[in-house]
Amino acid sequence: MAEQVALVIGGLAGGLLLLLLLIWVSCCLWRSFCPCTYEELPGSTAASSIQGGKLYPPPARTQTSRPPGVPFVVPPSLQDQDWVPLHRGEWAQAPQDPCLSQEFLPRPSSGSFGNTGTVGTINPDLYKFLEDKSETDFPEGCLGRLWFSVEYQQDAERLLVGLIKARRLQGPSESCSPLVKLHLLPDERRFLQSKTKRKTSSPQFDERFIFQVSSKNITQRVLRFSVYHVDRQRKHQLLGQVFFPLRNEPLAGDCPHVIWRDLEAESGEPPSEFGDLQFCLSYNDCLCRLTVVVLRAKGLRLQEDTSFISVFVKVSLMNHNKFVKCKKTSAVLGSANPVYSETFSFKADPAELDTASLSLTVLQSTRGENSHQLGRVVVGPYMYARGRQLEHWNAMLSKPKELVKRWHALCPTPEP
């Protein structure tokens, strides 16, 4: 039994020695046929290379060794390739083929925007603020431009209006002395007034005004800015007006809403018997779209009955005097000079324009479903219109895609 144990132990010892011998022989063969080179790592104080089992001092550093700032060791198989420095200590392999991808090219520095298409850079053109051209681009025949801000405080039921500035006012002379009157329509009697700016066609006002108006009526109100020139005799000469319907803009917010508008000239003609209506026409032949913009009315003959409480405009598209489609503006509280500024579009083929017409009827509504017609105007080709109405229609056709604005006198409508 003891002899068997001794044989087992001897066999194990012999096998272990044989295994160690094989490992040692393999190491010797690997060192002789596969020499390796090692480089100094960052922070180490000594480095050496082992070739053929012998220790050699570290070679001198060259450009093909690991460049400064690279947090890794360049493999020996890539040490014979060129490397070019980039900004902030980065390195990248120089392309050998001019057709290589742009991602291998050096990145420009942060202050250079010459190549905005390089991968990894930011195109500054995408982050530029749009240039404000409101003080440089003025249309031909512009009477001037007005900047103002509007904010409504619902808790206090106050409308805050900031009068900021005006530019390029067309005064009677170079020594223009402008002032601005503010009305909150339909109230024509009460108004607020700015200070007079002496001898300037581009005044800077920077004034604030407060109107007390309930939240129920705010959307029915219209701000009117009337710009006047004050002469030496203190007479006021109207330079232009701006109408701003409050229902078309968001008024609530943490900061005032700044707006600019071009001045409109007041019609020099006296109001007609039944009032006047101002609207724009435009036709887009590519989209076969007829556009009508109802702007405002003036001098309407309202009914004295207090049950007639609001005024609206009905726009009807006719073809061969047959009804095609009808659209209505919102109702404005009983005012003889309502402001709408609402846009409507109708589908109309170019071949239909010779037989089509537009009928705009101004009506005063009651609390029920009944309404009273205050007047109407029809524009269209020679078959349906004459005079100013025909001229407006032809001007729309001669200026496609442009808004053509005109005043029209209302005619009485026949009683049903």
Side-chain angles (χ1 to χ4, degrees), residues 58-62 65:
R61 183 180 300 274
T62 62
S65 301

Side-chain angles (χ1 to χ4, degrees), residues 375-394:
R376 75 165 185 166
V377 58
V378 178
V379 293
Y382 186 80
M383 184 184 302
Y384 307 104
R386 299 289 190 274
R388 185 185 294 267
Q389 290 78 18
L390 176 61
E391 184 272 333
H392 195 182
W393 184 269
N394 292 335

Side-chain angles (χ1 to χ4, degrees), residues 308-338:
F308 293 86
I309 57 173
S310 59
V311 180
F312 66 94
V313 179
K314 181 174 68 174
V315 184
S316 303
L317 176 64
M318 313 291 289
N319 196 348
H320 290 287
N321 280 331
K322 295 182 179 180
F323 173 80
V324 178
K325 197 169 186 179
C326 174
K327 297 184 179 182
K328 299 179 182 180
T329 67
S330 57
V332 176
L333 290 178
S335 169
N337 304 292

Side-chain angles (χ1 to χ4, degrees), residues 65-185:
S65 301
R66 178 179 56 84
V70 178
F72 55 85
V73 177
V74 180
S77 60
L78 300 178
Q79 290 184 0
D80 58 344
Q81 302 185 20
D82 295 330
W83 299 79
V84 293
L86 300 179
H87 68 289
R88 299 182 181 178
E90 297 181 1
W91 287 69
Q93 181 182 353
Q96 302 298 330
D97 189 350
C99 297
L100 287 178
S101 174
Q102 289 288 335
E103 60 181 314
F104 293 104
L105 295 179
R107 300 176 185 175
S109 61
S110 58
S112 173
F113 304 120
N115 183 12
T116 58
T118 305
V119 176
T121 60
I122 295 178
N123 186 350
D125 295 334
L126 300 177
Y127 299 91
K128 289 182 179 179
F129 291 100
L130 295 177
E131 183 180 358
D132 184 12
K133 297 184 179 180
S134 61
E135 295 194 29
T136 57
D137 292 350
F138 290 85
E140 184 178 357
C142 181
L143 300 178
R145 186 166 291 174
L146 187 69
W147 281 260
F148 56 94
S149 64
V150 178
E151 180 185 5
Y152 184 68
Q153 296 178 348
Q154 191 167 4
D155 296 339
E157 293 189 336
R158 297 193 308 174
L159 179 66
L160 307 180
V161 182
L163 183 61
I164 302 174
K165 60 185 177 181
R167 293 294 182 266
R168 291 196 182 184
L169 298 178
Q170 303 300 315
S173 62
E174 296 182 356
S175 59
C176 180
S177 299
L179 67 82
V180 181
K181 292 183 179 180
L182 293 84
H183 290 81
L184 190 60
L185 303 179

Side-chain angles (χ1 to χ4, degrees), residues 366-385:
T366 63
R367 295 184 183 273
E369 297 181 356
N370 298 327
S371 59
H372 173 72
Q373 294 186 3
L374 302 178
R376 75 165 185 166
V377 58
V378 178
V379 293
Y382 186 80
M383 184 184 302
Y384 307 104

